[in-house]
Amino acid sequence: MDAMDMQCLLLFLKDGQGDRYYAGQVDGIWGSRSRSALRAFQSDWPGLTPTGEGDADTFDALRQAVAGGMPHREEAAEEDSFWDHITYFNREEFRCKCGGRYCGGFPAEPKEALVRIADQLRKNLGGPITVVSGLRCWQHNAAVGGVENSQHMYGEAADIYAAGCTQAQVEAELDAIGGVRYHYPIAGSSNVHFDIPKGGR
Ligand SMILES: [Zn+2]
Ligand SMILES: [Zn+2]
């Protein structure tokens, strides 16, 4: 990787991130400041190892970050707390399934109300639930044929699979729990989509 290219990309990223990714002057010299800026970036970007040295994956991620922005680091930290009260799920399970192609995995945070319903559902049904589709960046949403402005893009919807349960059982349980806006069986699968009212927590 060319040190100057990398410093340029870090400089572009710097906007809106304070000095976290400030790599010093674009001079092609890979000094300690460049190294610590890159290390900060690598630790913020899912799946990278914070080495402070450029490699092909880091370079790709940098270009993605410059084009599409960073995953929301501050928001993630703020909303961490409710996860402490969730028994059966973790944030990773709601990650966008584009695999890092278009986003860092969390174009938005999973909403607390959504996760709490999923958690209660898991408890009531007594068996494992797979989050088939949680968050979606708009590119991934388009790729899987999601409706425009799908609530999956805002952390307000999940498609789930509950082993050993029919779709009707899952939907009946969702009704019993409450707080769900819509739910429906996903045709051609055993999965159920559910979502919460727009713009809530
Ligand atoms: Zn994505
Ligand atoms: Zn869905």
Side-chain angles (χ1 to χ4, degrees), residues 83-105:
W83 289 103
D84 297 343
H85 308 285
I86 299 298
T87 310
Y88 299 106
F89 294 92
N90 63 60
R91 184 171 172 266
E92 283 300 305
E93 292 173 86
F94 290 82
R95 168 184 289 281
C96 175
K97 297 259 193 304
C98 77
R101 248 185 104 184
Y102 307 113
C103 76

Side-chain angles (χ1 to χ4, degrees), residues 2-13 21-31 33-35 38 59 62:
D2 182 74
M4 216 179 280
D5 286 349
M6 210 117 61
Q7 287 169 334
C8 266
L9 286 169
L10 284 166
L11 198 63
F12 276 120
L13 254 196
Y21 306 134
Y22 182 56
Q25 284 180 343
V26 178
D27 54 9
I29 299 166
W30 201 245
R33 187 179 258 178
S34 301
R35 208 166 278 129
L38 190 66
F59 198 62
L62 265 175

Side-chain angles (χ1 to χ4, degrees), residues 94-97 105-110 133-137 152-153 155:
F94 290 82
R95 168 184 289 281
C96 175
K97 297 259 193 304
F106 293 94
E109 282 301 311
S133 182
L135 263 301
R136 292 177 194 163
C137 57
H152 283 281
M153 301 193 297

Side-chain angles (χ1 to χ4, degrees), residues 133-134 136 141 150-152 157-160 184 186 192-195:
S133 182
R136 292 177 194 163
N141 186 58
S150 160
Q151 279 174 278
H152 283 281
D159 300 345
I160 51 165
Y184 52 83
I186 298 172
V192 171
H193 164 105
F194 78 96
D195 56 59

Side-chain angles (χ1 to χ4, degrees), residues 16-90:
Q17 302 283 348
D19 281 340
R20 188 165 171 79
Y21 306 134
Y22 182 56
Q25 284 180 343
V26 178
D27 54 9
I29 299 166
W30 201 245
S32 64
R33 187 179 258 178
S34 301
R35 208 166 278 129
S36 76
L38 190 66
R39 201 178 294 124
F41 170 76
Q42 287 168 323
S43 65
D44 291 344
W45 192 271
L48 294 179
T49 311
T51 57
E53 299 299 332
D55 55 31
D57 285 346
T58 300
F59 198 62
D60 276 355
L62 265 175
R63 282 191 304 202
Q64 276 182 51
V66 169
M70 292 297 291
H72 294 286
R73 185 165 48 89
E74 292 85 357
E75 273 175 43
E78 268 172 32
E79 305 210 357
D80 257 347
S81 50
F82 83 81
W83 289 103
D84 297 343
H85 308 285
I86 299 298
T87 310
Y88 299 106
F89 294 92
N90 63 60

